[in-house]
């Protein structure tokens, strides 16, 4: 019995320092970051997907351990051209993200001290411009969003992440992104 108690105390004492270490996902921690995103705009009836790029800034705050609220603001970096041929003569259409903003709840599942996986759920509002043959038009839409990702912590102040996000999933089209970025905890 004494041997088991001694072993249990030794295990607790060995693990205690890692539990008490400051954690980049602990309540009260704020963060800011930036991601580069390869967007995918997929519209029903069009065989090709548009793949413009965007730069998205992130600000967040951990309201509880491993649970953050996060705001994002993004701008388009480059447009993409798709050939639309299902509605008469083929036309090249340029697709560009003008802006994107949203608010999300983000839940992390730690994988040791140096990594976590996470899921997000929230609301996104986006505006895009479509141009063809000298004419252009913009459209704004909003809706529920969800995604998942992995984050790696080379230090307590820096996180590197990769992520898939379904920003809009509307009737007739959807907008998703594969992203990679960096964030700084403060």
């Amino acid at each position: 019995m004494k041997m088991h108690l001694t072993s249990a105390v030794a295990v607790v004492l060995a693990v205690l320092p890692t539990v008490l270490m400051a954690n980049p996902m602990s309540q009260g921690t704020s963060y800011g970051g930036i991601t580069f995103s390869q967007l995918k705009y997929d519209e029903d009836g069009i065989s090709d997907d548009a793949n413009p790029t965007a730069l998205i800034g992130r600000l967040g705050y951990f309201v509880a351990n491993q649970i953050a609220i996060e705001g994002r603001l993004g701008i388009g970096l480059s447009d993409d051209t798709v050939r639309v041929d299902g509605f008469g003569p083929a036309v090249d259409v340029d697709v560009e993200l003008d802006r994107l903003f949203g608010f999300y709840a983000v839940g992390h599942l730690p994988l040791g001290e140096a990594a976590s996986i996470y899921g997000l759920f929230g609301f996104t509002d986006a505006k895009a411009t479509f141009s063809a043959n000298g004419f252009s038009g913009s459209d704004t839409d909003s809706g529920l969003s969800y995604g998942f990702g992995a984050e790696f912590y080379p230090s307590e102040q820096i996180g590197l992440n990769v992520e898939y996000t379904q920003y809009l999933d509307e009737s007739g089209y959807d907008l998703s992104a594969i992203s990679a970025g960096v964030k700084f905890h403060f």
Side-chain angles (χ1 to χ4, degrees):
M1 179 73 167
K2 274 190 155 189
M3 186 60 155
H4 292 293
L5 182 59
T6 306
S7 297
V9 169
V11 168
V12 169
L13 290 175
V15 171
L16 193 57
T18 61
V19 173
L20 295 177
M21 281 180 59
N23 183 327
M25 296 174 288
S26 61
Q27 182 176 2
T29 302
S30 298
Y31 61 88
I34 195 159
T35 61
F36 173 80
S37 298
Q38 178 71 59
L39 301 170
K40 177 182 172 189
Y41 176 80
D42 180 21
E43 188 168 330
D44 294 348
I46 298 175
S47 59
D48 292 332
D49 297 332
N51 296 295
T53 59
L55 196 60
I56 300 174
R58 307 164 55 189
L59 283 176
Y61 178 78
F62 281 90
V63 294
N65 290 340
Q66 289 91 37
I67 299 174
I69 53 172
E70 181 175 296
R72 296 184 181 188
L73 179 61
I75 58 169
L77 290 178
S78 69
D79 61 356
D80 191 26
T81 302
V82 294
R83 190 148 188 88
V84 178
D85 58 5
F87 307 102
V91 175
D92 288 336
V93 177
D94 293 330
V95 179
E96 180 179 11
L97 178 73
D98 296 326
R99 64 151 174 80
L100 173 143
F101 69 86
F103 297 97
Y104 313 93
V106 184
H108 287 261
L109 177 63
L111 302 175
E113 294 178 29
S116 70
I117 56 174
Y118 63 90
L120 64 93
F121 183 79
F123 177 82
T124 300
D125 184 86
K127 180 180 179 183
T129 298
F130 304 89
S131 305
N133 294 331
F135 297 99
S136 68
S138 294
D139 192 19
T140 303
D141 210 347
S142 56
L144 294 178
S145 305
Y146 57 91
F148 56 90
E151 197 155 85
F152 309 94
Y153 309 105
S155 75
E156 287 182 20
Q157 290 78 31
I158 297 174
L160 304 173
N161 67 295
V162 292
E163 175 182 289
Y164 169 82
T165 310
Q166 183 72 46
Y167 281 113
L168 295 171
D169 189 3
E170 302 298 314
S171 174
Y173 79 93
D174 63 61
L175 177 67
S176 60
I178 300 287
S179 305
V182 62
K183 74 178 192 181
F184 303 94
H185 302 142
F186 47 91

